[in-house]
Amino acid sequence: MIISNDLGYGSIKVNVKGEEKKFPSVLAIQREQDILAPVEFEDQSEKDVYMKDFLNHMDVTVSSSSVKMQGRYLIGNAAIDSGLQLTSFDINSLSGKADSDLSLIFTLSLAAGKRVKEAYESGEDLSNTLKTEVTLVTALPVKEGKKKDVKDAYKNRYLGKVHQVTFHNFANPVTVSVTFKAVYVANEGETAALYIASNEKKLTNALKKDLDDNFPELSKFVSKEDIISSKNIGILDIGGGTVDIIIIINGKAVASASLSMNEGYDNALDEAVDYLTEHQYSFKDRTDLKEYLEQEATGLSKRRHEAVENMVYEQLDPFCDRIVDNVSKALNKAGAGIEEFICVGGGSIPMNAHSNLRSAMVEKLKQYNGGDIVPVLFAPDDKAQTLNLEGLKFIAKKVA
């Protein structure tokens, strides 16, 4: 089983043996009083529908020497649907994804859940312990990834061990034994750069259109090929818990210039939740607020929705300023001219639509380019959040 896993602080974007999923990076810890009766089905067709969507119904316990956190968990959308208190990555912690048990719980649950789906579809006996061997391709924020021994330590949490995942959805629990054949760990942002350079037609055309719309003075001189073939670029990857700034010079990432901010778009949402609470708008947490913002406003909720949106987007200006300051730090260390910056990640979508990030970065980049314009481009909304995943899939093809 090959898994390409872009394990974001806000959401998981994953390809599990060809099946692509995206769901919130959350779980719900179930207390005894929270545990529901096992699922029952009226007929075979109802069971087939449930099993086809099994990765959105995962109710698990994990037994592994690499996981200290104990309990019974609902994973991702199952956690959201339960209405229970949600647990997510601590975006304020000085430790990162490599140290978090959540990274392993999510990854092991996905591998095991996919194995259960396969076993069901092929008519295997689910009362026997199922087994799967995984090749994992994933990534860490550049701040973690460039630290000595972090990647090796993260790999070793998976390798050389037998991890057991038990699913409690049914009257008879289903157990899966998971081992890892190989683990490859890239740096977030660099994986997006790989995919951009691959010349995927829709993405390339969208980047060219973004340049034409926002930098008409450059449109006659800069071709689609120029955009994707540049060897001197910056990648700004705005995630939920980090912002990665990747500096690529002569086609190679410069570790000393690339950096991560220990905050992301979700930090801005945390600040917005506090601000909204002060103004008598009640949201449990940033996940609750994010779900609300993604809902389409109706006539009944339009005024409230607009008011909440305006108050949230007011919180983006300080975040934008901090991003630009860190881009400046990275450019100071780059030692060569950057020809373009490309902004990716789920957080780039609202930052493009509701902040002055593009214009602020263009003005800052002029200071490092003799006053000339360096284009700052944004990946299209339907691609922005999955570019790292596409890059991981590209790597997976090479190593499989």
Side-chain angles (χ1 to χ4, degrees):
M1 182 183 295
I2 299 173
I3 299 178
S4 302
N5 191 4
D6 179 17
L7 189 64
Y9 282 101
S11 63
I12 296 169
K13 289 76 64 182
V14 64
N15 183 292
V16 191
K17 202 175 179 180
E19 179 177 359
E20 295 210 352
K21 300 293 290 185
K22 173 190 167 188
F23 56 84
S25 305
V26 296
L27 58 78
I29 301 173
Q30 300 179 82
R31 303 165 298 176
E32 189 65 32
Q33 62 267 36
D34 300 322
I35 295 172
L36 300 177
V39 64
E40 295 181 357
F41 306 102
E42 292 186 2
D43 53 40
Q44 186 64 39
S45 62
E46 186 178 359
K47 187 175 184 180
D48 289 344
V49 169
Y50 181 89
M51 293 306 298
K52 186 175 181 179
D53 195 36
F54 187 62
L55 297 184
N56 283 323
H57 299 296
M58 294 187 290
D59 178 354
V60 307
T61 53
V62 175
S63 177
S64 167
S65 60
S66 294
V67 178
K68 295 179 182 178
M69 183 176 166
Q70 296 297 308
R72 179 167 162 179
Y73 316 115
L74 296 170
I75 304 294
N77 286 324
I80 296 286
D81 293 342
S82 72
L84 300 175
Q85 181 69 39
L86 301 177
T87 298
S88 57
F89 286 107
D90 183 355
I91 59 176
N92 298 304
S93 173
L94 295 178
S95 62
K97 294 178 189 175
D99 298 317
S100 175
D101 280 350
L102 294 186
S103 298
L104 273 81
I105 291 170
F106 290 136
T107 303
L108 292 171
S109 298
L110 283 163
K114 180 64 172 179
R115 181 66 183 91
V116 172
K117 279 190 66 174
E118 288 182 333
Y120 175 77
E121 290 166 357
S122 61
E124 294 180 53
D125 184 355
L126 299 185
S127 65
N128 295 326
T129 298
L130 305 173
K131 295 182 179 181
T132 188
E133 185 179 59
V134 175
T135 295
L136 174 65
V137 183
T138 189
L140 291 172
V142 66
K143 185 175 183 178
E144 280 188 84
K146 69 182 184 180
K147 286 182 180 177
K148 184 180 178 181
D149 300 330
V150 167
K151 284 184 178 178
D152 286 339
Y154 188 42
K155 291 177 186 178
N156 288 333
R157 296 187 72 188
Y158 293 101
L159 294 168
K161 300 173 177 67
V162 177
H163 314 271
Q164 197 170 78
V165 181
T166 301
F167 292 89
H168 301 278
N169 303 65
F170 317 107
N172 297 313
V174 179
T175 299
V176 183
S177 176
V178 183
T179 57
F180 287 81
K181 179 181 179 182
V183 178
Y184 300 90
V185 184
N187 289 332
E188 293 171 3
E190 289 181 24
T191 50
L194 271 176
Y195 186 63
I196 291 167
S198 74
N199 193 16
E200 194 276 322
K201 186 175 180 180
K202 185 177 178 181
L203 174 62
T204 302
N205 288 340
L207 290 173
K208 172 60 173 165
K209 184 178 187 304
D210 193 50
L211 182 135
D212 292 346
D213 290 346
N214 292 282
F215 302 95
E217 66 275 35
L218 300 178
S219 62
K220 292 182 181 180
F221 308 103
V222 180
S223 68
K224 292 186 289 187
E225 291 71 24
D226 291 331
I227 293 172
I228 65 168
S229 64
S230 174
K231 301 296 183 183
N232 302 300
I233 70 173
I235 299 291
L236 181 66
D237 184 359
I238 307 174
T242 59
V243 175
D244 289 322
I245 302 165
I246 310 298
I247 302 297
I248 298 173
I249 302 296
N250 296 324
K252 295 182 180 179
V254 182
S256 60
S258 301
L259 57 88
S260 291
M261 294 170 56
N262 199 34
E263 64 172 322
Y265 182 68
D266 283 0
N267 294 87
L269 289 181
D270 280 341
E271 294 174 0
V273 169
D274 293 339
Y275 185 59
L276 287 162
T277 300
E278 291 175 6
H279 289 79
Q280 299 180 339
Y281 290 94
S282 178
F283 293 94
K284 291 186 293 185
D285 51 33
R286 65 175 180 272
T287 302
D288 188 27
L289 175 58
K290 193 181 296 185
E291 292 281 319
Y292 178 80
L293 291 172
E294 290 175 355
Q295 294 173 9
E296 186 176 349
T298 67
L300 293 170
S301 63
K302 189 173 180 61
R303 289 184 64 182
R304 181 178 190 267
H305 206 278
E306 288 178 349
V308 169
E309 280 186 336
N310 291 334
M311 295 172 77
V312 169
Y313 299 139
E314 284 176 15
Q315 307 305 305
L316 297 184
D317 287 342
F319 180 45
C320 176
D321 293 341
R322 293 193 292 272
I323 291 175
V324 174
D325 286 346
N326 278 276
V327 167
S328 184
K329 289 179 185 177
L331 292 171
N332 258 319
K333 297 178 180 179
I338 293 292
E339 296 171 349
E340 62 183 342
F341 245 94
I342 299 179
C343 304
V344 303
S348 71
I349 300 170
M351 293 301 291
N352 183 26
H354 303 290
S355 81
N356 66 338
L357 180 60
R358 190 198 304 262
S359 59
M361 283 186 62
V362 168
E363 290 305 310
K364 179 58 67 175
L365 286 163
K366 285 181 180 179
Q367 300 174 18
Y368 293 89
N369 199 43
D372 290 335
I373 291 175
V374 175
V376 176
L377 307 179
F378 282 77
D381 290 1
D382 62 341
K383 295 280 189 180
Q385 202 170 12
T386 58
L387 290 188
N388 279 310
L389 173 61
E390 295 297 340
L392 291 172
K393 287 161 57 180
F394 183 81
I395 295 171
K397 290 178 182 177
K398 300 292 185 182
V399 301

